[in-house]
């Protein structure tokens, strides 16, 4: 499917022996053991910690509630793209708790980064076709550079992850999914418009259509338009070329370099695009143009990447800038530079809080986007989806909090 | 000398100093901010240094705790090993409540991003729901440490632990109440949030407690079903032995936790503060109050681990959100700072602190001698 630069298969003998092997095995003893571990009795005995806290001591791949996954292989997708970030496809074997995924969904991947001991969690679209429990899944990830103080999960997974390693996983999430049955041929056409790494959920849908469709055909007219930085940086190139060359109802249009999206071109490819079921996913610039072209049509489904906001000016002396948004409440205001708790209260919100000095953790809330500075330590953090103590966190630039 | 010298008039204060009843002096307006800065610097340095060794340490303790628990539960199947089973389960419960539970629920390991070690998720192996404990402990006790009328941990609304609590005939039972609280400590902690004393005095209504009942009852039910029904039942004919064994392990944990906590807060020399002197207080004064409001217990490494490092109560009160394993490491520096500012740093071996606490409990049972 793609060029392999680092062929890395999990060792066949990775099946643990002993208790873990017994419980993980696909035989009556293993099945009985797993059923017992998942029973209400086991839960009552393991209270308050939960059964998984004990199973993880035996083997991290044993779980009754949590989802984890073992890295099976890591394959580089763009080995010839020298001047752009490396992309790799990572094959994961989830634990028995995995409920499968619908084409187009994403998972949260948690990694304990070596050196810092901090677990970072990021969302990645599943690039393989729809899965059922027990099957492997693949993630196709572009490595972002580490920044000082901000190690990159994607770079770790692409460059440092090794077969056998265990990562934390969520169940599949998201509604950006193929909501039509691939097995039933139909006259209703589909359209995918993607850019860069945004190809991954669309690829999952395309693969599902071709895998589950009658005689490996999509069973409906499918137009697949993708924008990549360069031909060398085109991921899934070989597979897409093969799909394009096969008689399977799919039209593939790859655009490279300066060739940007235009409504004019889309109209030429799909004249009735505004009334065609469309999935669009890509960087903010592309998404703006696509959304504009569809003019509010309900046929368009979109998914954005969450990109780390750049910190405008930092340091204690910098003037307060940007907008603070309290997402759940819906209120927002210009950043005054005060703590998030004070700014929330100034807007009339009443967030839960205690000591107002950062020691009691009563006010912990999730910062979804932006940078905050700890007013006690001066430490700044730009991680998305991070729990912060709002009484000692002041926004630096735009910031959004789940309050 | 346990009364707050700051609230006395200057003559009494002079007299106290002349008689050398206390080593503590009041810091000047210049000294307080400097004290704050020096202590902040320690905090900053440790925060910047947090990493893999801290993570590996707490994970190791968790692994040991789970192992002690599993081994303890299993040994109940061998009747001759009953004392070992009880000992193993007691160690598990003590580690779970103190070095893991108390410290994790303070947010000391939140920086790791591990839901299993997160202050928002952790639930400990005793009948007090973590959610309610975090409010009265992390917020009320740690913010308003030893401020009479605000810190409900001074005597827990049951005991007279400070001369500024006016004597009533009820307090004649002080030693008895203390003994009962020790034996039933987890239950005392669990009902602490219901503030029964405030209901009796009319400051709190029964309706205020309503939202607390479901969580409290659910936690009590789960703990009781596990320790007093399911595990005993699983040992079949050994039911009574296992039942008594589990109860004994809970009792040993209660006695141990009570003594460590009382030695950290109530030996002679620990001071209390009035609400007035803590109004709009500076960070420096907050630190100053934390040092004077707590006491350390000296001992070996194993003792510190088994006490959840609350044997370094002073360091814990200064830096409640730093991993407790760091307290022994920064203690010499904190002590040095205290000596330079002339603030007393109350420490002593367990037996000395225990004797001091016991003496205080008995002495305060009686009305003050004028």
């Amino acid at each position: 499917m793609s060029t392999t630069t680092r062929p890395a298969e999990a060792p066949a003998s990775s099946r643990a022996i002993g208790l873990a092997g017994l419980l993980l095995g696909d035989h009556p003893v293993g099945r009985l053991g797993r059923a017992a571990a998942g029973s209400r009795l086991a839960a009552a005995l393991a209270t308050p910690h939960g059964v998984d806290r004990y199973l993880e001591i035996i083997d991290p791949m044993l779980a009754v509630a949590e989802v984890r996954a073992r890295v099976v292989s890591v394959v580089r997708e763009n080995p010839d793209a020298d001047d752009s970030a490396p992309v790799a496809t990572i094959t994961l074997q989830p634990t028995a708790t995995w409920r499968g995924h619908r084409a187009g969904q994403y998972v949260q991947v948690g990694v304990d980064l070596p050196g810092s001991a901090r677990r970072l969690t990021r969302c990645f679209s599943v690039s393989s076709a729809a899965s059922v429990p027990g099957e492997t899944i693949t993630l196709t990830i572009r490595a972002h550079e580490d920044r000082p103080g901000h190690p990159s999960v994607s770079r770790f997974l692409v460059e440092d992850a090794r077969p056998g390693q265990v990562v934390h996983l969520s169940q599949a999430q998201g509604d950006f999914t193929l909501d039509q049955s691939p097995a039933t041929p139909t006259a209703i056409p589909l359209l995918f418009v993607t850019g860069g790494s945004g190809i991954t959920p669309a690829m999952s849908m395309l693969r599902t259509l071709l895998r589950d469709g009658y005689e490996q055909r999509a069973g409906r007219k499918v137009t697949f338009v993708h924008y990549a930085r360069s031909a060398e940086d085109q991921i899934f190139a070989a597979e897409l070329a093969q799909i394009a060359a096969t008689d399977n109802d799919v039209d593939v249009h790859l655009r490279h370099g300066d060739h940007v999206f235009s409504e004019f071109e889309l109209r030429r490819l799909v004249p009735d695009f505004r009334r065609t079921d469309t999935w669009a996913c890509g960087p903010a610039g592309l998404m703006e143009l696509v959304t504009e072209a569809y003019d509010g049509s309900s046929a368009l489904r979109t998914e954005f990447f969450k990109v780390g906001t750049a910190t405008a000016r930092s340091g204690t002396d910098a003037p307060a800038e940007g907008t603070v948004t309290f997402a759940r409440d819906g209120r927002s205001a210009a950043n005054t530079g005060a703590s998030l708790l004070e700014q929330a209260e100034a807007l009339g919100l009443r967030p839960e809080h205690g000591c107002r000095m950062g020691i009691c953790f009563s006010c912990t809330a999730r910062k979804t986007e932006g940078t905050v500075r700890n007013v006690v330590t001066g430490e700044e953090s730009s991680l998305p989806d991070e729990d912060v103590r709002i009484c000692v966190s002041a926004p630096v630039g735009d910031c959004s909090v789940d309050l | 000398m346990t009364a707050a010298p700051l609230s006395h008039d200057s003559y009494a204060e002079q007299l106290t100093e002349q008689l050398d009843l206390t080593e503590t002096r009041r810091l000047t307006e210049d000294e307080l901010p400097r004290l704050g800065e020096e202590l902040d610097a320690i905090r900053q340095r440790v925060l910047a240094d947090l990493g893999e060794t801290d993570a590996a340490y707490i994970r190791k303790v968790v692994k040991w705790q789970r192992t002690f628990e599993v081994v303890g539960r299993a040994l109940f199947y061998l009747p001759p090993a009953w004392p070992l089973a009880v000992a193993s389960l007691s160690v598990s419960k003590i580690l779970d409540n103190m070095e893991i539970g108390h410290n994790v629920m303070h947010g000391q390991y939140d920086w790791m991003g591990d839901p299993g070690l997160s202050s928002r998720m952790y639930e400990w192996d005793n009948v007090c729901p973590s959610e309610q404990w975090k409010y009265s402990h992390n917020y009320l006790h740690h913010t308003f440490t030893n401020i009479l009328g605000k810190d409900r941990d001074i005597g827990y609304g049951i005991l007279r632990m400070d001369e500024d609590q006016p004597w009533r005939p009820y307090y004649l039972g002080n030693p008895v109440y203390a003994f009962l609280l020790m034996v039933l400590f987890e239950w005392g902690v669990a009902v602490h949030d219901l503030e029964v004393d405030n209901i009796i005095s009319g400051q709190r209504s029964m309706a205020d407690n309503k939202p607390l009942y479901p969580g409290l009852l659910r936690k009590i039910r789960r703990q009781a079903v596990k320790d007093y029904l399911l595990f005993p039942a699983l040992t079949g004919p050994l039911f009574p032995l296992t039942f008594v064994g589990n109860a004994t392990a809970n009792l040993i944990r209660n006695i141990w936790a009570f003594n460590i906590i009382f030695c950290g807060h109530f030996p002679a020399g620990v001071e209390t503060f009035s609400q007035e002197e803590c109004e709009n207080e500076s960070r420096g004064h907050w630190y100053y109050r934390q040092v004077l409001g707590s006491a350390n217990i000296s001992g070996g490494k194993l003792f510190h681990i088994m006490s959840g490092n609350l044997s370094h109560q002073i360091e814990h009160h200064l830096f409640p959100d730093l991993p407790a394993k760091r307290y022994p490491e920064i203690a010499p520096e904190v002590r040095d700072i205290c000596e330079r500012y002339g603030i007393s740093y109350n420490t002593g071996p367990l037996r000395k602190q225990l004797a001091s606490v016991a003496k205080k409990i008995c002495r305060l049972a009686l009305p003050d001698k004028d």
Side-chain angles (χ1 to χ4, degrees), chain B residues 26-319:
Chain B
R26 185 177 192 155
L27 296 192
T28 65
E29 289 303 313
D30 297 338
E31 286 172 315
L32 281 174
R34 276 197 287 122
L35 173 73
E37 276 162 33
E38 287 199 48
L39 289 167
D40 272 341
I42 296 180
R43 188 192 140 84
Q44 216 90 321
R45 202 187 60 220
V46 176
L47 275 179
D49 189 46
L50 293 181
E52 273 179 323
T53 49
D54 302 273
Y57 170 77
I58 192 67
R59 291 210 164 106
K60 193 168 79 183
V61 176
V62 167
K63 202 169 174 176
W64 275 104
Q65 180 268 317
R66 306 283 196 260
T67 308
F68 272 113
E69 184 179 358
V70 171
V71 167
R73 304 277 187 200
L75 283 177
F76 279 118
Y77 286 90
L78 294 171
W82 190 86
L84 268 181
V86 173
S88 187
L89 194 56
S90 305
V91 170
S92 151
K93 284 178 183 277
I94 286 170
L95 284 175
D96 174 89
N97 286 188
M98 303 186 79
E99 183 66 332
I100 306 168
H102 169 269
N103 293 339
V104 165
M105 279 148 60
H106 258 295
Q108 293 179 0
Y109 297 95
D110 277 16
W111 55 272
M112 287 171 63
D114 181 345
L117 295 169
S118 152
S119 63
R120 297 172 89 184
M121 312 283 284
Y122 199 85
E123 188 60 72
W124 54 358
D125 185 8
N126 79 38
V127 292
C128 177
S130 62
E131 207 51 59
Q132 299 180 14
W133 178 82
K134 278 185 282 187
Y135 174 76
S136 59
H137 182 84
N138 286 6
Y139 172 42
L140 293 183
H141 171 56
H142 273 277
T143 310
F144 306 114
T145 312
N146 283 17
I147 300 179
L148 274 166
K150 283 200 129 177
D151 180 3
R152 294 195 19 84
D153 283 24
I154 305 175
Y156 304 94
I158 306 170
L159 302 170
R160 182 167 184 245
M161 294 309 295
D162 191 90
E163 274 130 11
D164 289 350
Q165 290 173 281
W167 185 84
R168 287 181 279 131
Y170 160 86
Y171 288 125
L172 284 171
N174 226 22
V176 179
Y177 312 145
F179 178 78
L180 289 175
L181 180 60
M182 173 176 80
V183 174
L184 301 169
F185 195 55
E186 66 169 327
W187 300 93
V189 173
V191 300
H192 184 44
D193 295 276
L194 301 181
E195 305 189 11
V196 179
D197 54 312
N198 281 342
I199 290 181
I200 294 169
S201 68
Q203 289 169 314
R204 188 182 170 93
S205 75
M206 294 291 269
D208 292 338
N209 279 345
K210 265 214 169 122
L212 299 178
Y213 292 141
L216 182 58
L217 292 176
R218 189 167 50 237
K219 184 76 195 290
I220 292 174
R221 192 184 64 232
R222 284 185 182 157
Q223 288 294 116
V225 164
K226 170 180 75 158
D227 276 345
Y228 301 124
L229 185 68
L230 292 180
F231 275 114
L234 281 175
T235 53
L238 301 172
F239 187 106
L241 274 180
T242 313
F243 180 95
V244 175
N246 290 349
T248 311
N250 279 324
L251 174 71
I252 291 173
R253 183 271 327 274
N254 285 353
I255 295 174
W256 179 254
F258 170 93
N259 282 298
I260 294 298
I261 290 161
F262 269 59
C263 286
H265 293 95
F266 306 119
V270 168
E271 307 202 3
T272 56
F273 298 81
S274 70
Q275 295 191 30
E276 297 77 56
E277 63 195 321
C278 301
E279 260 166 33
N280 300 318
E281 74 177 346
S282 64
R283 192 163 176 82
H285 189 268
W286 184 82
Y287 274 134
Y288 171 74
R289 177 158 57 83
Q290 298 303 326
V291 176
L292 295 183
S294 21
N296 283 5
I297 317 166
S298 54
K301 201 177 160 196
L302 187 63
F303 171 72
H304 291 318
I305 293 174
M306 291 308 285
S307 72
N309 280 298
L310 294 181
S311 44
H312 290 88
Q313 197 69 241
I314 296 176
E315 286 73 20
H316 174 57
H317 265 278
L318 290 171
F319 312 113

Side-chain angles (χ1 to χ4, degrees), chain A residues 146-167:
Chain A
D146 290 333
R147 286 180 296 130
H150 299 285
S152 156
V153 174
S154 58
R155 196 207 59 74
F156 172 81
L157 288 170
V158 169
E159 293 180 348
D160 297 340
R162 291 286 174 271
Q165 199 153 19
V166 174
V167 297

Side-chain angles (χ1 to χ4, degrees), chain A residues 119-277:
Chain A
R119 181 174 308 169
L120 298 183
T121 302
R122 294 288 178 278
C123 296
F124 298 103
S125 292
V126 182
S127 55
S128 52
S131 72
V132 296
E135 290 183 332
T136 58
I137 58 168
T138 65
L139 309 176
T140 302
I141 298 171
R142 180 177 294 273
H144 294 283
E145 287 293 308
D146 290 333
R147 286 180 296 130
H150 299 285
S152 156
V153 174
S154 58
R155 196 207 59 74
F156 172 81
L157 288 170
V158 169
E159 293 180 348
D160 297 340
R162 291 286 174 271
Q165 199 153 19
V166 174
V167 297
H168 300 267
L169 219 58
S170 68
Q171 295 288 0
Q173 298 168 322
D175 296 321
F176 185 74
T177 53
L178 184 66
D179 42 16
Q180 285 139 21
S181 161
T184 317
T186 164
I188 304 170
L190 305 182
L191 170 60
F192 297 98
V193 183
T194 58
S197 311
I199 195 173
T200 45
M203 202 62 195
S204 173
M205 293 190 233
L206 186 60
R207 284 167 166 170
T208 306
L209 284 167
L210 291 173
R211 183 192 66 184
D212 299 345
Y214 186 62
E215 285 187 330
Q216 279 82 56
R217 301 180 71 90
R220 67 215 71 197
K221 184 171 168 48
V222 175
T223 310
F224 195 96
V225 188
H226 177 69
Y227 296 84
R229 209 169 299 165
S230 67
E232 295 75 37
D233 206 28
Q234 173 66 51
I235 52 180
F236 308 123
E239 188 181 354
L240 287 170
Q242 203 211 337
I243 290 171
T246 314
D247 178 20
N248 54 9
D249 311 326
V250 181
D251 283 335
V252 178
H253 303 278
L254 302 181
R255 302 286 182 258
H256 297 144
D258 299 333
H259 195 126
V260 295
F261 173 88
S262 75
E263 183 182 336
F264 175 77
E265 189 190 30
L266 185 64
R267 195 179 299 282
R268 226 182 46 197
L269 295 174
V270 185
D272 201 14
F273 70 89
R274 276 187 196 155
R275 287 200 281 159
T276 304
D277 282 323

